[in-house]
Amino acid sequence: QVQLVESGGGLVQAGDSLRLSCAASGRTFIRYDMGWFRQAPGKEREFVGGISWSGDDIYYSDSVKGRFTISRDIAENTVYLQMNSLKPEDTAVYYCARGWLRRREVAYWGQGTQVTVSS
């Protein structure tokens, strides 16, 4: 089994920045992508972005491209989501994910961390 633990959520104002972290532990020998999804109240969970195990392939949804940056520390089995120029519509629970994320095939989910952006 693999455990994913997110941290870094909180309440910020529009235009602010925030960085989320997700640490993986357990049976992490499969070189899965890692990344992020989010779910706003009353909406379906949506893909935010992902990064390959090596870090060579990084991909984002159109809604966050240019504002959010994903990075990965292979040695620490940790993925980061740097969120800049936050908007109220970015308010959601953000979930860390591990799997083949280009195909949206998620093998493991984190428990989620709340991000709230006030206007």
Side-chain angles (χ1 to χ4, degrees):
Q1 276 291 358
V2 172
Q3 294 78 41
L4 302 176
V5 178
E6 299 108 329
S7 60
L11 171 63
V12 297
Q13 293 187 331
D16 284 352
S17 298
L18 202 59
R19 190 175 86 151
L20 306 183
S21 301
C22 171
S25 61
R27 297 169 63 85
T28 60
F29 52 84
I30 297 177
R31 296 182 176 182
Y32 282 131
D33 296 357
M34 288 185 69
W36 299 88
F37 289 70
R38 67 185 182 185
Q39 188 167 18
K43 294 189 176 182
E44 292 189 354
R45 193 171 297 188
E46 66 170 352
F47 174 75
V48 173
I51 183 169
S52 63
W53 178 86
S54 65
D56 291 343
D57 184 23
I58 306 174
Y59 41 99
Y60 302 95
S61 68
D62 287 343
S63 61
V64 307
K65 200 175 295 182
R67 298 188 299 122
F68 290 10
T69 302
I70 290 178
S71 58
R72 186 169 188 170
D73 185 329
I74 296 175
E76 296 295 326
N77 264 323
T78 299
V79 65
Y80 304 96
L81 181 65
Q82 176 67 43
M83 303 184 291
N84 298 331
S85 303
L86 282 162
K87 306 174 181 179
E89 51 263 44
D90 294 318
T91 295
V93 177
Y94 283 71
Y95 295 91
C96 180
R98 187 176 170 91
W100 304 121
L101 301 188
R102 273 204 176 273
R103 302 197 296 264
R104 309 299 188 261
E105 294 177 1
V106 178
Y108 302 98
W109 291 102
Q111 81 284 358
T113 185
Q114 177 70 47
V115 172
T116 303
V117 184
S118 64
S119 57

